[in-house]
Amino acid sequence: MSVSTSSQRPHVAARLEDRAYAVVGRWLARRGWEPRVEAYTGYAGDGWARIMARTVLAPPGTRPAEVAEKDAGSAGRAVRGWRSFLTAAVPHAVVGVEVGGQVHEVRADRGGYVDAMLGAALEPGWRQARLSLGGSTSVAPVLVVPPGPGTALVSDVDDTAMVTALPRPLLAAWNSFVLHEHARRPVPGMAGLYRRWLAANPGAPTFYLSTGAWNVAPALRRFLERHGYPAGPLLLTDWGPTNTGWFRSGREHKLRSLQRLLAEFPETTWVLVGDDGQHDPQIYAEIAAEHPGRVRVVAIRQLSPAEQVLAHGSPVPTRDGEPSPEAAVPSAAAAHGAPQVGATVTVTGGDGNALALALIDRGLLPAG
């Protein structure tokens, strides 16, 4: 959601996108479309709350729930991915936010995105924030993390929670724009692993970190709920242009998101779950090195050779995006969960069941 500020003058791509928003916005406004707020799941700590949303245009009479569902109608109806991308943003709209008994005004960015840190005193657990724009309101769930020492889990989505075969361009387009959302498959055993971890660590929050676009947030939330994953905030990104180029860096998004979480919850230790199809092992190792003792576990799902080919064109894992033959077989220490950086334990496995067994072997997950 953040916009690069390294250049005062936006990149030509950003200027073209702004012009397109203005033209489409005027055209839809003449046909009676009205501003609405699409609320995303937020999270909070001791005295603050992070509220995330997007301001969009919706047909007259559209209810807030319909805006959030992106024409899904209900969680049981299959929706092709392209519907999620038919969105007309309302740039720079002023949104009212009521959270923790306080009322704030925040302004959306040039893409209609709201990402605001607000003062709020909230009890731990699931709470709500009420967002208002143009006479309509929307409710955002807010996960309040209790103060003090604790543990939390961050999960990648693509090829970790969901089998997606990303980011090869044609497959990415098929999965994102054509495939029915009900046709997307979960990674075997992964939801069960997360539920077991949560049972062993009651109240521990779960975050889902992905380079996917915010447009797919409603479909992704439905997918996670449908397949039994614990509820938690989504940390996605805007695929659109920045001040400096056509697209944002997915690697940078993940790295900065993790750095932010560790700064926001300084007493929390972290379990980071990803896959070896792209940059997750390198990013997680970098975070563990930057914050000794803060990353308790790194769990890496090993893609099959066929999945590796679909993910990046080579049958072996990558190192910073480049095929690395020596990375095809993890070191004996990593494969057996030996400590890596500081107190961090790394485990690997082909799916959630294998990762669960590795964690049980290391005494990090109860066997029962």
Side-chain angles (χ1 to χ4, degrees), residues 201-278:
N201 298 271
T206 301
F207 298 86
Y208 297 94
L209 175 59
S210 172
T211 57
W214 278 106
N215 301 68
V216 303
L220 181 54
R221 177 184 54 76
R222 291 191 295 270
F223 172 89
L224 295 171
E225 180 180 353
R226 186 164 59 247
H227 292 287
Y229 284 91
L234 302 173
L235 302 175
L236 307 181
T237 188
D238 175 16
W239 277 0
T242 70
N243 280 10
T244 58
W246 286 93
F247 298 104
R248 286 164 172 76
S249 166
R251 190 186 194 284
E252 182 179 343
H253 164 68
K254 283 192 170 183
L255 186 61
R256 289 189 175 182
S257 295
L258 289 170
Q259 290 169 335
R260 176 171 182 165
L261 286 173
L262 267 68
E264 290 169 336
F265 301 107
E267 297 184 80
T268 299
T269 56
W270 296 85
V271 175
L272 308 181
V273 188
D275 65 83
D276 64 359
Q278 284 293 312

Side-chain angles (χ1 to χ4, degrees), residues 15-29:
R15 299 199 301 272
L16 289 172
E17 183 182 50
D18 290 345
R19 191 173 303 170
Y21 281 147
V23 171
V24 172
R26 287 194 298 268
W27 185 81
L28 291 175

Side-chain angles (χ1 to χ4, degrees), residues 279-355:
H279 304 292
D280 290 346
Q282 292 80 22
I283 294 171
Y284 293 171
E286 186 172 341
I287 290 293
E290 289 178 359
H291 304 273
R294 297 290 309 283
V295 179
R296 183 180 178 188
V297 177
V298 170
I300 299 297
R301 182 201 170 214
Q302 296 170 307
L303 274 61
S304 68
E307 289 174 319
Q308 294 285 359
V309 170
L310 291 174
H312 54 75
S314 170
V316 299
T318 63
R319 177 170 296 171
D320 284 332
E322 295 297 327
S324 174
E326 65 271 19
V329 180
S331 68
H336 290 87
Q340 303 296 300
V341 181
T344 302
V345 172
T346 298
V347 295
T348 60
D351 58 22
N353 298 318
L355 290 173

